[in-house]
Amino acid sequence: RLLTLLPALGLLAACAPRVDERAAQETLLQTSRDWAKAAQTGDIEKILGYWSDDAVVLAPGQPAIVGKPAIREFVQRSMSIPRFSITWEPEQATIAGAGDLGYLVEHNRMTFADSTRALHSELGKAVTIWRKNASGAWKCVVDTWNDNPTERVLLR
């Protein structure tokens, strides 16, 4: 009986779509880079477009921020901080076997002015988890980061 199933299993495996892992990694890396560019525009809707509707943001020292309405509020508050900016660069992409889930390891930089108007820059590290939506676009479903306390910089 097992011998009759083996050819069928082989046929099913051969029919399974093959994922070009390298191409998927490059697409995901570029999606993150495009998102970082969008963050520089200040266009909140464009920035929000990279998160899934059910995304979770795990910002340092804060409760989980769940879903687009809460994330929108978080982004708006961040953008209202004097001289706030954020940028990042992905370092490594990993794609799951089916090609519809992946994660990035990234480094980031946040800059902002404090109450004395002194400009600060904090370097950090991040992990983002991504899922392809129904149209095949990558959307961030989990976004988490923390700072590198030894890498804080006071700018003049």
Side-chain angles (χ1 to χ4, degrees):
R1 213 176 185 144
L2 180 60
L3 292 176
T4 59
L5 285 178
L6 287 177
L9 290 175
L11 183 59
L12 284 175
C15 292
R18 300 236 185 256
V19 174
D20 182 343
E21 187 176 343
R22 188 70 193 135
Q25 288 171 331
E26 287 303 321
T27 300
L28 186 52
L29 288 164
Q30 188 58 51
T31 300
S32 180
R33 291 183 187 112
D34 292 344
W35 190 14
K37 288 177 189 169
Q40 298 305 302
T41 69
D43 181 336
I44 291 173
E45 293 310 311
K46 190 172 188 177
I47 295 165
L48 285 171
Y50 287 87
W51 277 293
S52 66
D53 290 339
D54 61 343
V56 177
V57 174
L58 303 171
Q62 297 187 34
I65 303 160
V66 181
K68 280 238 182 120
I71 295 170
R72 177 180 282 106
E73 185 178 317
F74 173 75
V75 171
Q76 288 171 327
R77 277 194 325 267
S78 297
M79 302 291 257
S80 71
I81 297 169
R83 299 178 69 186
F84 174 83
S85 70
I86 183 168
T87 190
W88 61 89
E89 178 66 29
E91 298 173 7
Q92 173 189 344
T94 301
I95 304 297
D100 60 348
L101 194 65
Y103 69 87
L104 295 171
V105 175
E106 302 167 292
H107 64 271
N108 60 32
R109 169 175 263 181
M110 276 189 277
T111 303
F112 57 92
D114 66 17
S115 60
T116 68
R117 296 190 177 155
L119 194 58
H120 296 267
S121 186
E122 292 184 1
L123 302 177
K125 51 202 175 295
V127 172
T128 52
I129 301 172
W130 297 75
R131 174 180 65 216
K132 279 190 178 178
N133 66 11
S135 67
W138 286 107
K139 298 294 178 178
C140 182
V141 293
V142 178
D143 186 352
T144 187
W145 68 95
N146 62 12
D147 62 344
N148 286 329
T150 59
E151 298 186 60
R152 289 189 180 156
V153 180
L154 176 61
L155 305 173
R156 301 271 176 219

